[in-house]
Amino acid sequence: MTAELVRGQNHTLPQTRLEIRVSAGTPVVAGATLGDDRGTVRGVDWIAHPGSPQLPGLEVSQQAAADHRLAVDLEALPAGAHRVTVLLALPAGADGPVRFSAVPAPFVAVTGLDGTEIATFTLTGLDAESAVSALELYRRQDVWKVRAVGQGYAGGLAEMLADQGVAEATGLAGSIQEAVTRGLARSVAPPPRTPEGDRVRHPTGSAADHGSPTPPRAPMPSEPLTGPAHPVQDPAPVPPRPAPGAAATGPVGAGATGDGPIDYAHPRRQHAAPPPPPPAAPPAPPGQPAQPVAGDATGWSMDERLYNQIWGMFEDLARTVAAYRSAVDFAESRMDQELDRTLSDPRNRIGGAGDRAREEARAKRDELTSRAREALDRDLAQLAAEAAVVEPALPAAYAGWGNPVWHAHRVPMEMPMALRIGDLHLPERPDLRIPLLVRLPLERGVWVDSGRSASEAAALTDTDQLRRRAVETAVAHAARLLAVYPPGEFSVHVIDPAGAAAGPLAPLVDAGVLAGPPAAGSAGVASVLAHLTRRVDLVQMAVRAGAADSLPPDLDTGEQLLVVNDFPHGFDDRAVTQLRYLADEGPSVGVHLLMVADREEASAYGPVLDPLWRSLLRITPVADSRLADPWVGHAWTYEPPAIPPGSRVLEQALAAVAAARRAAGR
């Protein structure tokens, strides 16, 4: 998967033999410098440029061109080289532009030798700069990474080289420009403008090469940070996300090529293009962001558009915060490097020179951090405005319990695309909540952890209250599933061995929407598990034999949900084995688990139950910050869906389910 970086963000490199491809709309000079562990360039023999294009493990172009390919072999670099910085500059003394604001934004891609993109970076936001440090490859604890830098220099090559500690930077910059001037007659002409604007890319066969402005969909957070990460669900890929308020362009078709038009065919409807999104909002006044619009994404229905828009909001929030955190880390790292470089000279350690160096380094750090925070606040404000527009427009399956849509809800005749199981947010903006949606039918079971986690909310809640909230969370999820499925196509079974959850289960029991009374005792546990295990076996055999019409007439072929409370109480070894079987084999034939359990209470089974816990999506009855994001490494805070105090929306939704079943004769 290609990582599309923003300024300050980094990405691990999976290999050491690479190509760095540069695309621009005008001839530019491309070079590279090698740096030690402090980022210092030791001399001119550590600089590759058109006048001296080859170094051990590094080769650059010999002339200015609109497109470059730099060859890098990280294992062949000189001893002591810990950093490779890619430099771009506009040719001096020519009739071309003298500042990057007058040219298309350069695009840099780190690829494998086969052309597969590993990471990309578009250098936007440049103004009076005529030279820029585009990106750097650096080694950290024997692992090579790439970081998007995008640091521009209005003073050109001389200022950029001096910033890297090169002696006689002015003279070297002049010799580089002289070599470029001699080769300008051989410069490669700028390529034609592409339909996507100023950004020029090389076709390599991936979706990103067909004009996608965003990386592939980010997986949602899943497992705790202390354990392996598994995707929450595997939703269909989200189309490239347009800017809020702008018209969406549609999903990228698999048959598109870099030389022809993009194929907008839907992957599941090969002979028709999806309808366009709703009309965008009127253009915003100059200097103001566009007005967000609900459903401003591609899709075959409004529900699908909203689903894709929510995923896009999740991507935007993850990417924006990642850029901010990386920029802050970069500012700190740069301050440390500047201080190390200055104070490595004993003469600067005493007197005013050292103090001035510290003040200048901290001032640069503070400036970079302040600029990053301004960009973060701007992006977060735009996302908050979009969320304020999207939330009221959500259908019941995507909406929170406090949304008025639930008061007029009617049981649908078709299953929705997805279901909301909570909200996600990050500490940079806790009030900005992104709905956590999972695709339907469920592909994994759900585990509501009733144990005491390390979160602050769990620490402030006593054990009995935590268990009650866990059951209430499970009941709310079961009620939501019943309310969004067509009448009679979803059944709920409950196992409550000790009858400890009678109070929280009352809404389901009183509404008469359960498949049977909650099973109690070991006999009740065995009966329900035997019934559902038989259903899984029969449906699997019928599917494999292609004989679905031979199923027994009394077999309910609708989706089944088994709510298990207080596991492992009331479960013997046979029951535990059956439960594991349902967790593994059930989702493929419509049998799903919703467990309320404390893992510590099942510790007597040891590693036998580890596959069970890993197969389930863990959520909590209170706010918890241990959901890992394998895309950018964030620790997202999960908030369970909350029913407003004093509201009877849950009872109203279940009453609508019961009425719909009676009307349908179920």
Side-chain angles (χ1 to χ4, degrees):
M1 181 178 73
T2 303
E4 185 158 334
L5 306 179
V6 295
R7 186 175 280 105
Q9 190 175 358
N10 58 43
H11 183 73
T12 302
L13 295 171
Q15 57 201 76
T16 56
R17 298 187 66 189
L18 307 163
E19 276 191 353
I20 299 176
R21 302 184 178 188
V22 179
S23 298
T26 189
V28 295
V29 181
T33 62
L34 303 180
D36 57 18
D37 54 352
R38 295 180 178 178
T40 303
V41 180
R42 294 183 178 177
V44 295
D45 55 341
W46 273 28
I47 304 175
H49 56 83
S52 177
Q54 292 185 346
L55 295 178
L58 182 62
E59 183 175 359
V60 303
S61 304
Q62 300 185 45
Q63 63 185 33
D67 297 284
H68 294 271
R69 291 193 181 188
L70 286 65
V72 181
D73 185 350
L74 297 174
E75 294 182 348
L77 296 177
H82 290 255
R83 192 180 305 267
V84 179
T85 304
V86 177
L87 316 175
L88 302 179
L90 295 172
D95 295 332
V98 296
R99 51 195 295 167
F100 272 106
S101 62
V103 303
F107 173 77
V108 185
V110 180
T111 75
L113 297 184
D114 59 353
T116 302
E117 287 186 350
I118 300 171
T120 64
F121 176 42
T122 302
L123 285 79
T124 58
L126 299 176
D127 189 11
E129 299 90 342
S130 59
V132 60
S133 295
L135 53 79
E136 61 183 12
L137 314 178
Y138 65 98
R139 181 163 52 193
R140 181 70 55 83
Q141 297 179 347
D142 295 328
V143 176
W144 282 95
K145 298 183 178 182
V146 56
R147 176 188 285 123
V149 180
Q151 176 66 49
Y153 297 86
L157 270 174
E159 183 183 355
M160 180 166 55
L161 294 173
D163 189 53
Q164 297 192 30
V166 178
E168 302 295 334
T170 302
L172 178 59
S175 65
I176 294 174
Q177 292 289 7
E178 182 180 351
V180 171
T181 301
R182 291 195 301 267
L184 276 178
R186 305 188 305 273
S187 293
V188 179
R193 298 282 287 242
T194 64
E196 60 177 294
D198 292 336
R199 176 169 168 177
V200 183
R201 307 191 63 172
H202 291 285
T204 62
S206 67
D209 303 306
H210 303 150
S212 170
T214 59
R217 175 191 59 79
M220 279 291 225
S222 56
E223 296 295 324
L225 289 173
T226 55
H230 301 279
V232 166
Q233 290 289 142
D234 190 13
V238 175
R241 172 171 166 78
T249 57
V252 177
T257 65
D259 298 324
I262 297 174
D263 178 9
Y264 289 97
H266 191 284
R268 297 181 183 173
R269 298 173 175 84
Q270 296 296 331
H271 303 293
Q288 297 184 11
Q291 185 69 25
V293 177
D296 191 9
T298 55
W300 290 90
S301 64
M302 189 59 174
D303 286 3
E304 186 175 0
R305 291 171 180 170
L306 288 168
Y307 174 83
N308 290 339
Q309 186 173 15
I310 289 171
W311 272 99
M313 292 166 60
F314 168 77
E315 289 181 350
D316 285 352
L317 180 57
R319 189 163 42 230
T320 295
V321 173
Y324 168 71
R325 294 179 181 178
S326 295
V328 172
D329 291 343
F330 173 71
E332 295 286 348
S333 174
R334 177 171 176 165
M335 181 185 70
D336 293 341
Q337 291 176 15
E338 291 180 352
L339 290 176
D340 290 343
R341 188 161 54 238
T342 301
L343 300 179
S344 61
D345 187 348
R347 293 172 296 181
N348 293 331
R349 296 178 187 174
I350 57 177
D355 293 338
R356 286 193 300 272
R358 292 185 183 92
E359 291 176 0
E360 292 175 358
R362 292 190 181 108
K364 288 183 180 179
R365 185 271 315 273
D366 293 343
E367 179 186 1
L368 290 174
T369 303
S370 176
R371 288 164 54 187
R373 186 71 209 191
E374 289 176 2
L376 174 69
D377 291 341
R378 182 183 63 248
D379 293 341
L380 291 181
Q382 182 68 6
L383 276 172
E386 186 175 9
V389 171
V390 169
E391 186 70 36
L394 295 178
Y398 303 174
W401 286 113
N403 194 311
V405 70
W406 279 105
H407 296 288
H409 176 65
R410 296 294 181 268
V411 178
M413 300 307 296
E414 292 184 0
M415 178 185 70
M417 283 186 59
L419 185 80
R420 185 173 186 162
I421 62 169
D423 296 332
L424 299 173
H425 63 84
L426 292 171
E428 281 76 6
R429 184 71 183 267
D431 62 322
L432 178 54
R433 308 294 177 90
I434 306 297
L436 175 57
L437 304 180
V438 293
R439 290 295 296 266
L440 294 180
L442 295 172
E443 297 174 4
R444 301 173 64 189
V446 179
W447 162 34
V448 183
D449 190 353
S450 61
R452 187 171 297 281
S453 64
S455 70
E456 181 180 354
L460 297 175
T461 308
D462 63 61
T463 302
D464 293 339
Q465 184 66 16
L466 201 61
R467 291 180 177 177
R468 182 179 181 85
R469 287 192 182 182
V471 180
E472 290 173 348
T473 300
V475 169
H477 288 314
R480 183 179 288 260
L481 283 164
L482 285 165
V484 301
Y485 266 83
E489 294 189 13
F490 196 88
S491 300
V492 176
H493 307 261
V494 175
I495 290 179
D496 185 21
L505 289 172
L508 294 174
V509 175
D510 294 345
V513 293
L514 295 178
S522 57
V525 171
S527 174
V528 172
L529 291 177
H531 170 74
L532 293 177
T533 302
R534 172 179 175 270
R535 182 196 179 282
V536 171
D537 290 338
L538 290 176
V539 174
Q540 280 187 339
M541 288 189 291
V543 170
R544 290 168 184 167
D549 55 348
S550 63
L551 289 170
D554 62 336
L555 187 73
D556 183 2
T557 56
E559 300 282 313
Q560 311 284 314
L561 178 70
L562 174 59
V563 180
V564 178
N565 179 50
D566 225 9
F567 177 82
H569 299 295
F571 283 73
D572 56 19
D573 291 344
R574 176 180 174 81
V576 170
T577 301
Q578 289 177 317
L579 192 68
R580 287 185 54 189
Y581 175 74
L582 292 177
D584 293 338
E585 303 295 334
S588 63
V589 291
V591 177
H592 314 284
L593 285 184
L594 177 53
M595 290 185 56
V596 179
D598 180 358
R599 188 169 182 173
E600 292 299 323
E601 295 183 356
S603 59
Y605 286 93
V608 173
L609 290 180
D610 286 349
L612 173 64
W613 305 121
R614 286 196 298 266
S615 68
L616 302 174
L617 167 62
R618 174 186 175 270
I619 60 176
T620 54
V622 294
D624 187 86
S625 302
R626 298 178 61 205
L627 289 182
D629 183 346
W631 186 44
V632 291
H634 293 330
W636 292 83
T637 297
Y638 166 80
E639 291 272 1
I643 298 175
S647 173
R648 295 190 57 81
V649 62
L650 183 68
E651 289 78 4
Q652 292 173 5
L654 292 174
V657 172
R661 287 184 175 181
R662 290 192 297 269
R666 300 298 180 90

